[in-house]
Amino acid sequence: RKDMTAETKRHILVENLPRTAFPADIRRAIRREKLVGIDDVQLELFRFTPNRRAYITLSHPDFLKENIAKLENASIGGYAVTAHPYIAPPTVVEKLRGVKGREAAAKRGSLTGTGSSGAMSNGRHVCIWGFPPKASAGSVKEFLERHKFDRLGDKPEIYKVPL
């Protein structure tokens, strides 16, 4: 990958992660291995399910080789990980930004949950599956409230996404 520009040399692809790994687990390994210049960590998801890969974004391209060398002997959750330079991960589609944009995307079937962070913008997201096909977003909200999920906030965003 010698044709990479300075801007694209800011990303590391980490592979062979445990399926149960969270971004916090990767950040813990980053601290343990003393990586420098880390801006962001994102899991790659396929239909909101981790696919054992993550993207690390660096603040400057000069940190790329040093950080990849430090990750050569790293392990996360007992799995020996591999790290490679990578072009920028796919970004969140602009039409998914904001409450109205995500709601419209859910209605037209554009929320697939595939890509870095499930192609969702930064924030806290939970994917719950196993509901009957005819369950509405309102009925899911009522179900969660009945079961004392009191951290939903004033206006929780609940979308039905066919997987």
Side-chain angles (χ1 to χ4, degrees):
R1 300 187 185 193
K2 297 178 194 264
D3 59 337
M4 294 173 65
T5 66
E7 182 59 31
T8 60
K9 290 184 182 180
R10 293 183 49 230
H11 305 281
I12 298 174
L13 173 65
V14 181
E15 297 179 300
N16 197 33
L17 294 167
R19 289 203 187 277
T20 57
F22 287 106
D25 299 322
I26 300 164
R27 289 183 193 282
R28 213 173 359 266
I30 286 170
R31 282 191 302 276
R32 185 179 60 239
E33 300 298 329
K34 298 182 175 131
L35 273 65
V36 293
I38 305 300
D39 268 353
D40 193 21
V41 174
Q42 296 181 347
L43 287 179
E44 184 177 86
L45 304 176
F46 177 75
R47 294 184 177 173
F48 295 106
T49 304
N51 69 354
R52 304 186 63 194
R53 295 165 51 141
Y55 300 102
I56 298 174
T57 303
L58 305 174
S59 60
H60 196 274
D62 291 345
F63 300 128
L64 184 72
K65 287 183 182 180
E66 177 186 349
N67 286 340
I68 288 178
K70 289 179 180 179
L71 286 170
E72 280 183 10
N73 298 320
S75 67
I76 297 174
Y79 286 72
V81 298
T82 58
H84 312 283
Y86 196 73
I87 57 172
T91 57
V92 176
V93 178
E94 291 296 319
K95 293 179 182 176
L96 300 181
R97 291 188 138 180
V99 176
K100 289 182 180 179
R102 286 188 292 274
E103 188 175 351
K107 285 181 181 174
R108 68 175 179 271
S110 295
L111 291 181
T112 62
T114 301
S116 62
S117 295
M120 300 293 289
S121 60
N122 289 338
R124 293 184 181 209
H125 307 283
V126 176
C127 180
I128 305 172
W129 61 88
F131 285 102
K134 292 188 178 185
S136 67
S139 65
V140 172
K141 180 182 178 189
E142 289 174 18
F143 172 82
L144 294 173
E145 287 171 345
R146 261 196 327 267
H147 287 84
K148 310 277 189 258
F149 284 87
D150 44 348
R151 289 191 178 179
L152 290 176
D154 294 338
K155 297 180 182 178
E157 297 178 41
I158 300 175
Y159 308 110
K160 184 175 180 178
V161 179
L163 299 175

